[in-house]
Every structure is written in C-alpha cells, then in structure tokens.
Amino acid sequence: MAAWDLSVTVEELGPEATPFKVSVTSDLHIGGVVLRIVEKTQIKKDWSDHALWWEQKQQWLLQLSWTLEKYEIHADARLRLTPQHKPLRLGLPNGTTLRLQACFSHPVFQTVIGVCRLLNMRHPEELSLLRPVEEKKKKKDTEEEVVVYDLTSLRISSGPAHTLSNGMPVHFADSPQTEAVYKMLSVSLPAPETITKTPRPTSLVDKAQVHSRWLDSSRSLLQQGVQEHDRLLLRFKYYCFHDLHPKYDAVRLTQMYEQARWAILLEDVGCTEEEMMLFAALQHHIGKVSLSEPRLMKSCPAMDDLDSALQCLEVKMDAEECSAEDMLETMTVAPELHDYLNIFRPKRLTLKGYKQFWFTFNNTSISYYKSKEESLKEPIQQMNLKGCEVVPDVSVAGQKFCIRLLIPGAQGMNEVYLRCENELQYSRWMAACRLASKGKSLADSSFSNEVQNIQSFLDMQRTTPGVKAAQTDDIINTHGLVSPRYHKKYKSKQLTPRILEAYQNVAQLPLTDALLRFLQIWQALPEFGVCYFVVRFKGCRKDEVLGVTNNRLIRIDLGTGDVVKTWRYNIMKQWNVNWDIQQVAIEFNGNVNIAFSCVTATCKIVHEYIGGYIFMATRTREQTEVLNQELFYKLTGGHEAL
Amino acid sequence: MEDIDAMFTDLLGEMDLLTQGLGYETVPSEMSSSSSQIEKNFSIGFTDLKESLNELEDHDLDALMADLGSDLTETEETLNAAKMGHVHTQQHKSGYYTPQQNVQASIPSSQISSSSSSLHPEPSEPLVAGEAEAQVKADKIKLALEKLKEAKVKKLVIKVMMSDGSSKTLMVDERQTVRDVLDNLFEKTHCDCSTDWSLCETNPELQAERGFEDHEYLVEPLSAWTRDSENKILFLLRPNKYLLFKDPQIFYLWKKHKQFVNEINGCRKELLLKENFEGPSVIVPDLEGPLYLREDGKKSWKRRYFLLRASGIYYVPKGKTKTSRDLACFIQFDKVNIYTATDYKQKYKAPTDFCFILKHPQIQKESQYIRFLCCDDELTLSLWVNSIRVAKYGATLYHNYQTAVRRALITTSTLHVTSLPVSSPPTRSTGHIATVRANEHPDQDYLSEPPPDFIPPPPPGWGSGV
C-alpha cells in the first residue's frame, strides 16, 4: 500500500511550530499514528491523555483501533495532538469561579459527570453547562479580576469516591487550599451585596434568552467551540431533584439553594411580597446559622457515631430526668413571668387610658390582678394567648414598648395593648407572647433565643441611618435578602420588621432543615421550573412562548404572559424533530398534533429539554446509583446519537 | 426520705379523692350527682352535661359507664400498688440502716480478722437488696405519678349525632386524634369503614360546618365551643372528604374540558397524585377565579378575582396584572380554618348559596374577623374548599387519606375472613348492639394489631404503577 505524509501539530510545541510529517499508509490505525508522532517529538512524558483532533471536520479521533481509511483521512487532513482534559473556568451557582480540568473530548454530558464527581455532587444528569452572557469589553481596566479558585491539581482516583471522616472527598484533602475551596462549595455564603449590579431578566423574552445558551449534551466542548481557559457556568438544568439526601449532598444542596436564591433575588421566578419576606427570613437565618454551625463536622460518619452515642446519652438522661421529683416539678412548677404592666383595651366610645395591674404569665395564659398581694386570689381576667396575633408597637427613640394582642374569642378578636417600662421587660414579655401564640409555654427551650432576637431587633432600631454604628451580626442587611424591586418600594427600616416577623417562624430550624424549607417553598411556587423558549407554532404568524417543565409543555401568550394551553408528557405519544427545517413536532393522545419552530434557541436545545425531562421521569428510587447514559443520549441526542 | 414520704402521703390523699369521685359513678341511682363529679374531676366543658346525660338512652349510658369503669379499675390498681409501695418504704427503712450499724460495730471490735472479713460482705448484700427495693419503690412512685398525670389529661364526654338521627356518647381525651375517634366509632357502629366517614362540627349560629381532619386532636377544637353552644358533632359520610385524592383531576386539571377530565383513568390519577403529593413539596392546585367577598360591616358582596397559592389566598388589586409580584395577600392559613356555609342567600343576602367562610377556630359568632366568600356554583365551591385544605395541611392531608384507605381495606379483608355480614349503618335496637359487641372482641384485636409487615393489597385501579 502506498505511503503518504500526514501532517500533525503537537500542542505542546506551541502554535507556531511546524507540523510534524509522518509517513503513513491508509490501513494504519489511529493508535499507530499517535505512537509515531510521540516517538518523533522525542519528549518523554505521560501522553496517555492525548488524542487526535481533526481541525477541518471538528472531530475527535478517539477510536484507536480504527484505521485512517475508516475515518476517511487523507493527505490534506490537518490533525492536532492535544490533551483531552484541559483547564476550564467554571462558574458555580453560588458565584464562585473554579479552574479545573474538564474533559474536552467526550460529550458534554460526560464532562458534567466528571466535574460533578470531582465536586462530589450526586445526580450530574440534572446539571449542565451554560455559556455566560458575553461581557461587554468597554470598561476593561475598571473591571476587577474575578477570583478564581484553582482545582486543576485535583485528581480523583478511579473507583468509588471515598470521603473523609468529615464528609469531604479524599481528593480535596491534599492541601489546605483545596480544603478551603471545598468548604466554600458546601457552605452557603452570606447574603450577597452585588445584586443590583447583576443583570436581571425582566420579560419573558429575556428569560427565554437564558435558555438559548445551554451547551449541547451530546457533543464535546471542543466541538462546540469552547477553548481552554474559557468560562462556562455550571447550573441545575432539569428542575426535578432526585433523592436529595442532606448527608451525602452537602455541595449539591448548597449549590441548589444558591441557584434558587439567585432565581428569587433576580425575580427569575416570580413570587408575592409575603413569599419574598419568608425567603428573606430564611436567607437571613441560613446566613446566620452557617456562620456558627460547622456543617462539615456534622455530616461525617465518625461524628455520626458520636451523634448516636450522644443521643443515647440524651435518652438515658431523659429517663433519669423522669425521676419522681422532676416529674412532680414539671407538674407543679412551670416557669413564670410576672411584673407590673399597663394594659389598655380599646373599646368604642371610651377614652380610658392605660391602667396598671400585676400581671403573671403562666403556661400560655396571661392573668392580671389589682396588685401583687392579690395574686393569690382569683385574677381580674385571664387571657389565653394560644392562636393570638402578636404585633409589636415599639419606638426606641420615643421609649415606647407596647405589645398589641389580638386574642381570638367566641365573639371575634379582642384587642389588647400591653405597655412595658423598658427594653428588657418588653423583650421578655414579647417573647412569651410569641411563644404562647404558637401554643408553647415559657418552659420551651426557645424562650431565651426569642428574647435575644427581640433585643437585637431593638438594637437595630437604635442605630440611626445617619450614623453608621458598629454593625454586629444581628443587624440585618436587607440588601442581599430581597429583590431590588422591594428596595425601591420600601425603606430598609420598613423591610426589617416584616422580615423579622417571618423570621419568628423559622428561627428555630437547623441549617439543613432551613435549606430544605427554602427549596420546598421555591418548588411550590407556581412559576417554579418553567423554562421559556420563544417559538413559532405551525400555522401561526406571531411568536409565542413555550414553557417546558418537568411534567408538561405550556403555550404562553408572549404579550400578556397568560397560559393558553398545557400538554402533559404522560399523554405524549411521540415527538419528532425535522432537523432540515428545524421544527419540533409532537403527537399527543386523542389526535392532538403540535409543531413549532424555535426562535430564541436552536431546536436541539428544546428537543434535549423535553427528552431530558422524560429521562428524569424514568429514574426510580431503587436504581439511584446507576445512571442509564445510553437512554439519556437516546432521548436527548437527536441525529448525532444515531 | 421524710420529704418523699410527706409528698407521698399528699399524693395518696389526692388519689383517694380521685377514686372517691369515680366511686360515685359506679352507682347508677346517683346518676345526676355522678355527672357533676365527672365535671369536677375531668375538666369537661359541657354545662348541660346533666341534661345530655339524662337524655341518653339506657344502653348509651351503660356503654359510657363501661368506658369509665375501666378507667376506674385502673386507678384503683395504681392506688393499691402505691399503697404497697408505702408499706415497702417502712420495711426498707429499717432494713437499710441496720447493716450500716453492723459495720460500724464490727470495726472497733476488729479482734479477729476472719470475722471482720466475713462480716464485710454481709452488709453489702442487704445493701444491694435495699437498693433494689428503693428502685422498686421509685418505680412505683413513678407509676403512680404517671397515673396522676394521666388524670390531669383533659377529657370530654361528647355526644355524636349519627346520620339516622340517633346519637352516641363517648369519652375522648386530649391525646386522641379524630382518626382514633373514628376508629372507635367504627367499632361501635360496625359500619363499612369507608374513607368517606368523617366527624364534622356544625355551628348553627353561623350556619357553618367543617369536617375535622383526621390528624387533629378532637378535644382542641371542641374546647373553643362556648358554654351555651348549640354546636353539634356529626358522624356521617362526606364524599367530599377525600374527593381530592379520589379524583385529583377535578382539582389539578380543572381548566381542561369537562369531557377530557371525565376520561381520566386510574393510572393517570395515580400519576397526578404522585406528581403533586409525593414530590419534595406538595403542589397546591393552581386555582384562580372570581369570588364574591362580603364587605366588612356592609351588607353587600363584591366580586373580586382571587388566586390560590401555597402561601395563602391573593387578589388582583385594581389596575394591576396577575403577575405574582403585584398580587395582594387576602389571607394566610396558619390561624384560620375553612367552613362551608349553608343558606347564606337568606341569612346574609349572598348572591348564591355556595358560600364558605374562613375564621379562627375560637370565633363562634358573627364577627368582622370572619371572611365570607361566595362562589358561583357548587363545583367552584368544592374546588376552593378542598384546594384550600391542601394549601393549609399539605402532605398531612395525603397521609390522612392513605391511613384511611388502609383502614378501610383491613376492615373489608377481615370481614371476608370472618365472613361477618357487612352491617348496615347503626340501628337503635339495644339487642342488636349487644350482639355486635359480643362478636366484636376477637376481631377488634386483629384490627388494632395487624401483623407488622402486613401491606394491604391495592384497591382496584390503584398502584398499577408507571
């Protein structure tokens, strides 16, 4: 067979170096070609990660046993010998940027699996890579350099991922730097301050633009024009989170929370004012707890043993506590709160003011007497606060410390004001009222915590906006907690009490529960998990919006945002893509046929979204560990997969 | 030691009082006085209990007495146990100190080493015995205290109206859920245990009623009733109770055409339930539409556009759109319950008779704090009432349903095994009830304790999995 010259550039020698000419025959296999080039370079190094890339065809030559003939490579082909894994800058949901080794030669789906394995995130199929919005190069010099955390040195051993005793994968333990990075990935950051600078989608079309930037899962990074050191975003793409387990999913849970948080702050997903306040309260709480509670320590197996041992001890102590005396004590002596306070009951046509009485707090009830001496007699009145509304009526500047109670009774709500003399008294009574309204007595362990919260709230009022007093942790920085819209609408002073009000209901949650609660409320929002695409339905003359969710397709009016129609996947018979005219056609049960072409994204992205969601629905609880990659490609790949 | 003894004597005194109180009840001739005793000892919130007890038919009273009687014997046993404990104390006191004296005595007279060494182990033995005795005593005191604590448990005697007009009287304590009471009533009435059976409260003053949810503690809502309340508790079949889970498509696909919704089969219902209730968070039906709201203090009803979300009911303010951020909150559900109302067209001049109200459970009379809402038709009313229950109770409601389904299944399978006739709704005949009660015990045991790994077979059209 005739020999001919094949020209191959070797990346290691730089772009300027003249290509090597190797003499080959058409029946030489790719492995042989690589071997000859390596010999010719006379460089001694580990070449095992290198592979040939065919410039003109934008194709990897990964089948080492295939011959040049089979790949249809001739003398005019320009090949490049290059590593398959290259450094990539990856933006995570929490805003940090990592530099790590990613696979450029296999489909993006594989790349994501690799990255997730490195970062210790389970269920990589739910994530994908997104191109960032092109940055405007105008203010080049003023732009501050984004801090990049380098993880390129990390290598994971093959085989099952080992985790250290503190829940951190072994490969992060190499250096203190990487350890610090892991901590950053698995612990949520305090509220961001830069939210006003971040561009936010305002219209459906804007939201649709985001989804046009997803990379194709069935093609490699290099094939899609991604170069070494480029920046990509790692995001949760499919909004159905399978088998979320706080113990194993420290990074996954944290990043999910961060993505949810940004979606809410940037109003990517709409919520009401009440919901926004609750999200803000949860964020505030999570920020506060994650600073104080080292979660890394909590999730490690060794500590688990200790935990269970401690629990045993607790149970034991509980049992011991139940000794006769203690039981008697709980039956007879509950902690009490008593003071002289002023009471005012607004009634129609009376102008009576506050009157002083001796008040005692017992269980969930307040009783009051003429004086302390008479407290052994029948009270003038007893009010059970269970289920009542408690509203602060406070002004630190004016030294006014009132509690407004709306106590439900058979006739309706009874309005009662209690006036306290000073801050301390107020905090204690307010805390007691709040607990009682939830049906908890003073004996509840959360009492002192509640008192502290109220005091920090009062402290906050004291700091006048002009003078920037020493900011302690307890002072809420409302800026990172609610979307910019609410900062325009309300002053920080108005927002704080509302956030704190919502905070009362979540203040006792441990960190993981708070994260899960945040995600739950996010997932219960009607707009949750809808990905928008601008499409043109067959036979229509105007653009419309197609919403893709985990269980249905939604046709939405572009102008008004109203839902026109929904189709659920479970009545879908089949779907086809005509790649030539870029049209998606779907057939549903009952002879319902729809077809549309895509305007803001390629039809591959829409096709992959639908197929991906159908793939997600095939996962079952039993086979959580095995990922059926073949099925994924089949459902999302389109013509390349076949 | 003295302290504990004193304390113990006090306790005994208290317990004596308690048993005396109960003692009256076993004497049927002193029925009226017994009722007042019940009131004293178990803080029962009914002042007209005397009358209601007088109204009772004999068999009802017997049944109630049987219930109370079992309680009484328990208390008596405790008392006996406690008394024994007391006796033990005295024995034990003397047994405790003597060995110690022995030891002290033996040390100065340490003339023979062998005798002292033989003496040493001796005192330790009675000491161990003494400790064991002390333990026994402590346990008994603990038991007695627990029983006393139990006596502090709030109990109510309630009269439940049956659908045939008769009534049953039973005692509920504050630890019993509605589910427990329903199970109790199933046994008493020997009905078919269908998931539709529910307990519901009616408020004649407001012309409103509400089905209790199975997880609620029955005593709690009843405590909100006023002394002169005319409210009643009904035991009846309410097909609406779990309609949401039996026909989820009505609620989750309400926007679709009626014909399409009717075609939904079991498998697709199952999928709807899975999607909306078995995910990480319960999805509330995305309900929205115009309702009439009764204006505060006025007699007019104003039509407004309302939307239901997991966090509450919202309305669209004037000149705004339906986007989430523009919505104004109408009410949140933490502190209110939902009641359906009857005949509001007449009572409050409502546009239709399909009304519901939202109020704090404590409120029993008309008040500005009650929200009155009115729907165009019966379907809309059902959509709102049931969807609001999902928003308020979330996954709990679904768990209640699953428990109810299991309960109904176990019963039917038991009935087949023992080939007992499926008895018709309760009858008044005393004789019939007596026979049923006699038959009841073996199968009641089975009912309350199914084998641990018993999984009921799925009902038809259920669990055929995707």
Side-chain angles (χ1 to χ4, degrees):
Chain A
M1 202 175 269
W4 43 275
D5 279 352
L6 181 66
S7 81
V8 179
T9 46
V10 177
E11 194 149 288
E12 268 64 17
L13 301 175
E16 305 303 317
T18 46
F20 284 100
K21 299 275 183 201
V22 276
S23 175
V24 293
T25 53
S26 290
D27 62 347
L28 183 66
H29 49 79
I30 301 295
V33 178
V34 174
L35 198 67
R36 283 190 200 181
I37 302 162
V38 168
E39 274 167 5
K40 215 161 185 181
T41 58
Q42 294 181 323
I43 302 173
K44 280 209 157 62
K45 61 170 277 183
D46 181 12
W47 292 94
S48 61
D49 190 43
H50 283 61
L52 286 171
W53 165 254
W54 188 357
E55 303 269 4
Q56 291 107 321
K57 283 235 173 159
Q58 293 283 296
Q59 189 186 355
W60 284 93
L61 310 177
L62 295 175
Q63 301 291 337
L64 294 181
S65 58
W66 282 22
T67 59
L68 290 171
E69 196 176 10
K70 193 166 181 185
Y71 269 121
E72 294 175 27
I73 292 170
H74 304 290
D76 61 341
R78 277 183 291 119
L79 302 184
R80 183 151 60 106
L81 186 66
T82 176
Q84 296 182 51
H85 287 83
K86 298 168 193 285
L88 184 73
R89 284 185 303 146
L90 202 62
L92 297 189
N94 71 346
T96 47
T97 304
L98 305 175
R99 178 180 289 115
L100 41 74
Q101 292 282 351
C103 175
F104 274 66
S105 62
H106 284 81
V108 164
F109 189 58
Q110 294 289 333
T111 312
V112 174
I113 290 175
V115 167
C116 286
R117 192 147 163 254
L118 187 81
L119 301 180
N120 198 28
M121 292 168 85
R122 301 189 311 146
H123 296 291
E125 68 274 15
E126 288 162 6
L127 296 105
S128 194
L129 298 175
L130 195 64
R131 284 180 214 271
V133 189
E134 273 130 62
E135 290 156 41
K136 285 170 193 149
K137 301 266 176 181
K138 274 187 225 161
K139 312 172 273 179
K140 214 170 190 177
D141 31 13
T142 55
E143 218 173 295
E144 40 189 315
E145 195 54 34
V146 187
V147 190
V148 177
Y149 299 91
D150 199 352
L151 289 178
T152 44
S153 58
L154 284 194
R155 295 283 182 278
I156 35 173
S157 52
S158 51
H162 293 285
T163 50
L164 275 190
S165 48
N166 60 0
M168 183 172 70
V170 172
H171 53 267
F172 273 100
D174 292 343
S175 69
Q177 284 84 7
T178 52
E179 243 175 88
V181 172
Y182 182 78
K183 189 153 192 270
M184 202 176 54
L185 297 180
S186 59
V187 177
S188 48
L189 304 172
E193 305 223 356
T194 54
I195 151 177
T196 37
K197 288 183 205 157
T198 326
R200 64 204 141 96
T202 46
S203 66
L204 274 179
V205 179
D206 285 352
K207 289 181 189 177
Q209 290 296 347
V210 176
H211 296 289
S212 65
R213 305 199 307 267
W214 290 109
L215 289 179
D216 186 340
S217 292
S218 45
R219 293 166 69 214
S220 68
L221 285 179
L222 205 56
Q223 278 176 311
Q224 299 181 63
V226 177
Q227 299 298 321
E228 210 168 314
H229 302 300
D230 273 2
R231 186 162 182 268
L232 292 177
L233 306 175
L234 180 72
R235 292 289 183 268
F236 290 91
K237 180 177 179 184
Y238 300 102
Y239 291 90
C240 44
F241 311 120
H242 194 58
D243 183 35
L244 193 60
H245 201 304
K247 194 173 155 188
Y248 307 114
D249 289 328
V251 180
R252 185 172 169 225
L253 185 63
T254 308
Q255 298 302 329
M256 207 179 279
Y257 161 69
E258 291 286 344
Q259 188 166 333
R261 184 210 342 223
W262 282 100
I264 283 156
L265 290 181
L266 299 179
E267 293 183 15
D268 196 17
V269 51
C271 66
T272 65
E273 202 170 305
E274 283 69 23
E275 287 156 355
M276 184 63 88
M277 297 306 148
L278 182 53
F279 281 126
L282 277 165
Q283 281 187 72
H284 172 62
H285 179 59
I286 290 166
K288 217 169 143 185
V289 185
S290 58
L291 282 178
S292 56
E293 185 183 324
R295 189 150 52 103
L296 274 176
M297 297 301 284
K298 267 208 129 182
S299 56
C300 72
M303 290 299 273
D304 273 356
D305 293 345
L306 193 63
D307 267 355
S308 58
L310 277 175
Q311 252 167 20
C312 281
L313 199 65
E314 243 167 66
V315 171
K316 232 175 151 185
M317 279 169 72
D318 270 354
E320 267 157 31
E321 259 172 42
C322 282
S323 67
E325 283 95 313
D326 286 326
M327 253 171 93
L328 254 194
E329 206 157 296
T330 53
M331 280 167 71
T332 52
V333 194
E336 272 191 45
L337 186 63
H338 34 72
D339 264 319
Y340 275 109
L341 301 177
N342 286 289
I343 187 169
F344 168 53
R345 315 180 62 121
K347 274 180 196 139
R348 260 178 225 166
L349 304 171
T350 51
L351 288 165
K352 279 184 194 163
Y354 282 94
K355 241 182 140 182
Q356 197 183 53
F357 290 98
W358 173 255
F359 281 78
T360 66
F361 213 122
N362 196 347
N363 213 356
T364 61
S365 297
I366 290 183
S367 312
Y368 60 94
Y369 309 84
K370 253 203 169 119
S371 66
K372 187 177 179 182
E373 290 69 36
E374 297 201 7
S375 60
L376 293 171
K377 297 181 188 168
E378 281 284 298
I380 297 172
Q381 209 199 0
Q382 186 171 14
M383 305 175 284
N384 192 346
L385 301 193
K386 205 167 162 187
C388 79
E389 261 176 64
V390 188
V391 188
D393 182 13
V394 178
S395 149
V396 177
Q399 286 293 297
K400 176 187 175 196
F401 303 103
C402 292
I403 305 169
R404 178 173 175 252
L405 300 169
L406 267 180
I407 306 166
Q411 312 282 342
M413 303 292 232
N414 301 308
E415 199 176 8
V416 176
Y417 285 84
L418 295 179
R419 196 177 71 199
C420 304
E421 289 303 314
N422 55 48
E423 277 183 47
L424 182 69
Q425 197 181 47
Y426 167 81
S427 331
R428 292 167 58 95
W429 281 84
M430 186 68 181
C433 289
R434 281 204 168 131
L435 287 181
S437 79
K438 285 180 224 156
K440 292 179 189 164
S441 78
L442 289 176
D444 198 86
S445 56
S446 55
F447 179 66
S448 60
N449 213 334
E450 193 79 47
V451 174
Q452 269 179 8
N453 282 335
I454 293 163
Q455 277 172 339
S456 62
F457 168 64
L458 292 176
D459 287 344
M460 203 156 38
Q461 273 212 350
R462 201 175 293 118
T463 50
T464 44
V467 191
K468 266 218 162 174
Q471 290 212 339
T472 63
D473 291 343
D474 289 328
I475 295 171
I476 292 192
N477 174 10
T478 52
H479 270 276
L481 299 177
V482 294
S483 74
R485 171 186 313 279
Y486 292 99
H487 281 295
K488 277 184 208 144
K489 197 169 168 188
Y490 299 109
K491 286 179 194 148
S492 190
K493 229 180 178 175
Q494 294 169 298
L495 279 173
T496 316
R498 295 197 57 188
I499 296 173
L500 279 176
E501 201 189 319
Y503 176 63
Q504 303 307 324
N505 295 320
V506 299
Q508 306 303 327
L509 292 177
L511 181 55
T512 312
D513 291 6
L515 289 170
L516 291 174
R517 174 77 68 87
F518 191 98
L519 293 174
Q520 264 176 15
I521 304 171
W522 175 51
Q523 290 176 62
L525 294 176
E527 283 174 44
F528 163 80
V530 187
C531 303
Y532 301 97
F533 298 96
V534 177
V535 298
R536 177 78 61 92
F537 277 91
K538 197 179 169 184
C540 290
R541 292 179 156 265
K542 56 170 190 179
D543 286 345
E544 281 172 273
V545 174
L546 180 77
V548 180
T549 78
N550 62 0
N551 58 18
R552 63 194 191 279
L553 298 174
I554 312 168
R555 185 172 182 170
I556 301 166
D557 187 288
L558 181 60
T560 63
D562 289 340
V563 172
V564 179
K565 194 147 180 59
T566 60
W567 301 279
R568 302 173 62 83
Y569 297 149
N570 60 335
I571 57 159
M572 198 192 247
K573 265 171 122 174
Q574 60 169 333
W575 86 103
N576 294 301
V577 183
N578 185 335
W579 299 105
D580 298 329
I581 57 167
Q582 293 277 305
Q583 193 182 59
V584 183
I586 307 175
E587 188 189 343
F588 295 96
N589 285 345
N591 275 332
V592 179
N593 285 291
I594 59 166
F596 54 85
S597 53
C598 306
V599 180
T600 49
T602 64
C603 85
K604 173 66 176 46
I605 291 177
V606 178
H607 164 69
E608 192 179 314
Y609 241 118
I610 297 172
Y613 269 129
I614 290 171
F615 172 78
M616 301 298 150
T618 64
R619 298 178 298 176
T620 58
R621 233 161 245 164
E622 291 79 45
Q623 17 164 273
T624 46
E625 294 311 315
V626 197
L627 184 57
N628 189 344
Q629 296 187 25
E630 201 184 319
L631 182 64
F632 183 85
Y633 289 125
K634 212 168 155 185
L635 286 168
T636 62
H639 54 321
E640 281 100 341
L642 305 170
Chain B
M1 255 348 214
E2 267 79 13
D3 280 347
I4 294 181
D5 271 351
M7 186 182 86
F8 200 70
T9 331
D10 279 349
L11 281 181
L12 282 177
E14 267 186 63
M15 268 201 280
D16 276 338
L17 272 176
L18 192 71
T19 31
Q20 271 168 22
L22 286 167
Y24 275 107
E25 290 156 21
T26 49
V27 190
S29 60
E30 284 182 76
M31 200 178 65
S32 52
S33 73
S34 80
S35 63
S36 61
Q37 283 290 345
I38 298 174
E39 258 189 281
K40 249 186 201 165
N41 289 308
F42 307 110
S43 46
I44 290 168
F46 290 69
T47 35
D48 59 343
L49 187 77
K50 220 183 264 183
E51 292 151 47
S52 70
L53 279 179
N54 279 328
E55 270 173 30
L56 294 182
E57 283 160 49
D58 279 348
H59 66 265
D60 274 343
L61 198 58
D62 286 345
L64 179 60
M65 282 310 170
D67 278 353
L68 291 176
S70 66
D71 266 38
L72 173 71
T73 45
E74 262 177 44
T75 325
E76 259 177 349
E77 274 166 24
T78 331
L79 184 68
N80 286 338
K83 267 181 182 161
M84 277 166 70
H86 198 246
V87 174
H88 271 288
T89 330
Q90 271 152 11
Q91 286 175 346
H92 150 89
K93 238 182 187 171
S94 51
Y96 188 80
Y97 285 112
T98 31
Q100 258 191 355
Q101 283 161 354
N102 277 350
V103 176
Q104 277 172 349
S106 70
I107 293 168
S109 65
S110 57
Q111 290 161 335
I112 315 156
S113 58
S114 64
S115 78
S116 68
S117 63
S118 69
L119 263 172
H120 268 289
E122 250 187 44
S124 71
E125 263 175 26
L127 258 180
V128 170
E131 267 170 24
E133 242 175 64
Q135 184 61 46
V136 170
K137 185 197 155 200
D139 284 350
K140 280 188 177 150
I141 293 178
K142 208 172 130 188
L143 185 75
L145 283 172
E146 265 166 17
K147 291 287 177 188
L148 259 186
K149 218 173 184 180
E150 181 141 316
K152 274 189 100 178
V153 168
K154 198 172 179 183
K155 289 171 186 162
L156 290 181
V157 174
I158 59 167
K159 190 169 147 189
V160 181
M161 310 303 292
M162 302 287 147
S163 37
D164 65 351
S166 68
S167 69
K168 288 234 175 293
T169 306
L170 42 139
M171 191 164 80
V172 287
D173 77 38
E174 59 183 341
R175 297 163 303 183
Q176 277 179 300
T177 61
V178 171
R179 179 77 254 160
D180 297 333
V181 179
L182 278 178
D183 288 347
N184 196 350
L185 279 164
F186 285 175
E187 277 160 27
K188 280 198 160 58
T189 61
H190 224 269
C191 66
D192 63 353
C193 302
S194 127
T195 52
D196 288 344
W197 284 108
S198 61
L199 277 180
C200 110
E201 74 171 311
T202 59
N203 183 326
E205 177 114 20
L206 287 167
Q207 294 180 10
E209 62 170 52
R210 176 176 85 95
F212 295 120
E213 303 298 347
D214 288 357
H215 66 276
E216 285 182 76
Y217 293 101
L218 186 59
V219 168
E220 211 167 293
L222 298 187
S223 310
W225 291 10
T226 52
R227 287 185 171 270
D228 53 349
S229 177
E230 286 177 33
N231 293 8
K232 286 196 165 56
I233 306 166
L234 312 181
F235 175 63
L236 75 174
L237 286 162
R238 277 166 75 96
N240 239 328
K241 186 179 184 187
Y242 290 125
L243 184 64
L244 197 120
F245 303 109
K246 288 174 177 166
D247 287 315
Q249 75 280 6
I250 298 178
F251 301 89
Y252 285 94
L253 305 174
W254 62 276
K255 284 177 185 163
K256 303 261 179 191
H257 289 295
K258 253 196 188 122
Q259 198 202 335
F260 174 84
V261 171
N262 288 339
E263 280 169 12
I264 301 276
N265 56 20
C267 186
R268 295 199 32 210
K269 287 182 189 178
E270 163 86 354
L271 188 72
L272 276 176
L273 287 183
K274 200 176 154 196
E275 273 175 14
N276 295 298
F277 289 95
E278 289 172 23
S281 61
V282 167
I283 307 295
V284 175
D286 62 337
L287 192 57
E288 57 177 73
L291 297 174
Y292 298 95
L293 170 68
R294 186 168 184 250
E295 305 262 284
D296 276 348
K298 291 183 211 159
K299 279 178 184 165
S300 62
W301 294 73
K302 200 175 173 186
R303 202 169 159 91
R304 268 188 180 284
Y305 198 87
F306 288 95
L307 295 95
L308 178 69
R309 294 169 74 97
S311 56
I313 300 180
Y314 293 79
Y315 63 90
V316 183
K318 240 186 184 165
K320 297 278 182 144
T321 61
K322 279 200 294 182
T323 46
S324 337
R325 56 171 185 264
D326 287 339
L327 297 178
C329 187
F330 171 66
I331 200 165
Q332 297 190 295
F333 304 122
D334 336 327
K335 285 174 181 154
V336 295
N337 282 339
I338 181 158
Y339 300 74
T340 48
T342 44
D343 213 10
Y344 270 18
K345 232 164 142 173
Q346 206 197 349
K347 189 176 168 82
Y348 292 123
K349 297 199 166 52
T352 74
D353 264 336
F354 309 107
C355 298
F356 66 91
I357 62 175
L358 292 158
K359 69 169 183 74
H360 193 287
Q362 289 277 341
I363 301 177
Q364 298 290 323
K365 297 183 171 118
E366 193 186 338
S367 140
Q368 52 165 323
Y369 297 98
I370 301 180
R371 303 289 190 191
F372 297 84
L373 289 156
C374 176
C375 309
D376 282 332
D377 49 44
E378 199 174 356
L379 175 69
T380 318
L381 177 66
S382 166
L383 283 177
W384 278 94
V385 171
N386 289 303
S387 304
I388 288 172
R389 284 169 65 214
V390 177
K392 179 168 168 68
Y393 302 108
T396 314
L397 202 63
Y398 187 50
H399 295 151
N400 287 348
Y401 168 66
Q402 287 171 319
T403 315
V405 168
R406 273 198 297 275
R407 183 66 175 79
L409 275 170
I410 291 170
T411 312
T412 37
S413 58
T414 330
L415 284 178
H416 286 303
V417 172
T418 57
S419 68
L420 268 174
V422 181
S423 57
S424 47
T427 45
R428 279 178 192 231
S429 137
T430 332
H432 177 74
I433 287 187
T435 49
V436 170
R437 288 191 73 85
N439 280 342
E440 215 169 44
H441 275 282
D443 99 48
Q444 182 187 330
D445 283 347
Y446 179 64
L447 283 180
S448 54
E449 274 186 343
D453 55 350
F454 175 77
I455 299 156
W462 173 271
S464 42
V466 190

